[in-house]
Amino acid sequence: MPHDHHDHLSPSGHPYRADNDGPLTYWQRMEIAVRELLIEKGVVTPAEINAQIDAMDARSPANGAAVVARAWTDADFKARLLADASAASREMGFDIGPLNLIAVENTATVHNLIVCTLCSCYPRNLLGLPPDWYKTREYRSRAVREPRAVLREFGVDLPNDVQVRVHDSTADMRYIVLPARPEGTDVLDEAALAELVTRDSMIGTGLPRNPQ
Amino acid sequence: MGERVRIRASMPPGHIRAPAYLRGKTGVIERSLGAFGNPEQLAYGHAADKKQLYRVRFTMAELWGEGAEAPNDTVDAEIYDHWLEKV
């Protein structure tokens, strides 16, 4: 009888996951071909490609959290951030490249939410790679159609007197939400405040943590 | 700023960054963003004209009518000048 793996579990008790050894797609082949040509022609080196992947992987929401915490503690910085978020981020030493960044402020009467309905535009230089749900058709379509229902599913239930402003990153801008500073944080310094700033609070699908 | 504009209601083929759900809808200019290369040319590797880009704000009532979840909530999107019509 042929050996059949289908119902087997791994020693850890989890089902085996299928290997990803299906055929390459057209665009995967294209990426490999272009990358190999660039290396062959001496345009880039494999080390440079690895360094760029490392740099992309090293970006995390901690960068954005530091910007938010600075804005919470320094009113002049906050004004500069809302006027030109790219320049304010560079001022803090973050390499945001040619990114055109707009910061939108949550207040007692306004809640902002970021989406890219056309693809997956995201402020990667400040927040790292986008979460998988951000790129799904469901989030991209529902965020502009029924943002309050989406927010409730993320655990954010907004009262009717708070206006929701959805920002669709359709072109050259990227967006970051400046969440409202939580109550009871007067004694916290900038580093402690940054700990309260979650990735989702800067997308608008969440709120900052409350202090312990 | 605050000027009322309508997004062109046409559906040409190609790489268009004015989302279909906003075409034919009326909003107000929220801010001007400067000039950027036209993605309809850039996407095909062509030399791109610079186009003025604006953030346009739409109410949920305008986008979804009676079915809007909260009529006074808004969607802001970036739209290039050649997709805007005067109202």
Side-chain angles (χ1 to χ4, degrees):
Chain A
M1 185 176 152
H3 197 69
D4 183 357
H5 282 282
H6 284 295
D7 298 324
H8 286 200
L9 297 179
S10 76
S12 65
H14 294 96
Y16 284 106
R17 189 168 141 176
D19 286 321
N20 59 340
D21 50 6
L24 294 174
T25 65
Y26 174 84
W27 293 110
Q28 284 172 321
R29 288 203 305 279
M30 179 74 91
E31 183 274 323
I32 293 167
V34 170
R35 171 159 44 87
E36 288 182 349
L37 277 169
L38 288 170
I39 291 168
E40 211 174 292
K41 291 180 177 296
V43 178
V44 293
T45 67
E48 285 171 334
I49 292 173
N50 275 339
Q52 183 58 31
I53 292 171
D54 282 349
M56 290 195 292
D57 281 350
R59 293 176 192 141
S60 86
N63 297 1
V67 172
V68 169
R70 175 72 56 88
W72 283 349
T73 52
D74 180 340
D76 291 338
F77 178 80
K78 178 178 159 182
R80 292 199 294 280
L81 181 72
L82 293 174
D84 182 345
S86 298
S89 303
R90 284 192 199 103
E91 177 191 322
M92 284 190 68
F94 292 117
D95 171 21
I96 62 162
L99 192 74
N100 297 297
L101 192 66
I102 291 179
V104 286
E105 184 186 15
N106 283 355
T107 66
T109 54
V110 172
H111 184 91
N112 294 283
L113 179 68
I114 310 303
V115 66
C116 173
T117 58
L118 296 175
C119 46
S120 58
C121 298
Y122 189 73
R124 293 172 185 231
N125 302 57
L126 282 186
L127 298 189
L129 296 174
D132 282 347
W133 55 256
Y134 185 83
K135 299 181 274 186
T136 59
R137 191 180 291 275
E138 184 183 4
Y139 177 74
R140 287 158 45 213
S141 54
R142 292 183 61 213
V144 292
R145 181 66 184 82
E146 47 174 15
R148 289 171 185 265
V150 171
L151 287 168
R152 277 194 295 275
E153 290 168 31
F154 277 93
V156 179
D157 198 358
L158 295 173
N160 290 337
D161 59 355
V162 173
Q163 186 192 36
V164 174
R165 288 186 191 159
V166 182
H167 302 272
D168 189 356
S169 320
T170 47
D172 294 82
M173 303 293 131
R174 299 294 177 268
Y175 297 88
I176 184 171
V177 174
L178 173 58
R181 181 172 174 165
E183 301 284 327
T185 55
D186 291 353
V187 296
L188 298 184
D189 65 12
E190 200 175 313
L193 286 168
E195 295 289 320
L196 305 178
V197 184
T198 61
R199 176 197 68 195
D200 285 7
S201 73
M202 294 179 281
I203 302 173
T205 50
L207 300 174
R209 296 186 186 96
N210 284 312
Q212 294 301 310
Chain B
M1 302 309 99
E3 189 188 346
R4 283 171 62 76
V5 290
R6 183 167 48 236
I7 313 305
R8 271 172 47 206
S10 71
M11 294 285 172
H15 180 81
I16 310 288
R17 298 212 57 102
Y21 77 96
L22 296 177
R23 298 187 204 172
K25 304 295 184 184
T26 298
V28 298
I29 303 273
E30 191 265 345
R31 73 180 84 170
S32 176
L33 297 164
F36 292 87
N38 183 356
E40 293 157 37
Q41 296 165 305
L42 284 175
Y44 301 98
H46 299 156
D49 303 327
K50 293 283 185 186
K51 297 287 186 186
Q52 286 296 322
L53 186 63
Y54 297 92
R55 265 163 63 79
V56 183
R57 179 165 291 174
F58 306 86
T59 65
M60 292 292 184
E62 165 70 9
L63 299 185
W64 313 117
E66 293 287 308
E69 187 185 44
N72 296 323
D73 289 349
T74 59
V75 173
D76 290 9
E78 300 147 44
I79 308 290
Y80 296 90
D81 186 52
H82 61 292
W83 276 89
L84 300 179
E85 297 172 334
K86 281 202 189 303
V87 177

